[in-house]
Amino acid sequence: TPMLRSLVGSEMCIRDRINTLIYFQPDVEDFSEIRSLLRLGLRVKATDNFFININYEYIHDSSPPIGTDKKNSKYGFKIGYEF
């Protein structure tokens, strides 16, 4: 079925960095069929070279494949180093 895709993203810089991504994909023939994604991220400097990333992702599919959930959440934590 035809799907309409729309993507909204924003990035704000305060002292550290906040990233946001919103993805919404309805079926153009049946608006009850929806796929969506929300991704949030925060990057914080720990020292001059080390940083910490904290991430959250939420995925929704109103008609997922058999054996999968309609809703999924993921959390992430990373430590990085910049030269």
Side-chain angles (χ1 to χ4, degrees):
T1 59
M3 300 293 279
L4 175 67
R5 294 183 181 167
S6 105
L7 176 65
V8 176
S10 68
E11 185 173 1
M12 297 183 295
C13 293
I14 303 172
R15 182 173 169 213
D16 299 309
R17 184 171 286 180
I18 299 172
N19 294 307
T20 306
L21 174 71
I22 301 168
Y23 179 77
F24 183 74
Q25 184 182 19
D27 183 333
V28 293
E29 295 174 353
D30 181 4
F31 281 100
S32 66
E33 297 288 325
I34 297 171
R35 294 181 195 147
S36 61
L37 165 71
L38 170 66
R39 187 177 292 153
L40 304 171
L42 175 64
R43 180 180 168 141
V44 179
K45 275 190 108 164
T47 66
D48 286 340
N49 296 78
F50 281 98
F51 61 89
I52 298 169
N53 277 343
I54 302 167
N55 301 299
Y56 172 73
E57 184 174 282
Y58 175 79
I59 301 170
H60 173 80
D61 187 347
S62 62
S63 297
I66 296 173
T68 60
D69 295 329
K70 285 187 173 189
K71 301 174 185 176
N72 290 296
S73 293
K74 296 179 186 177
Y75 300 91
F77 180 82
K78 300 174 186 177
I79 298 175
Y81 183 84
E82 290 180 319
F83 295 95

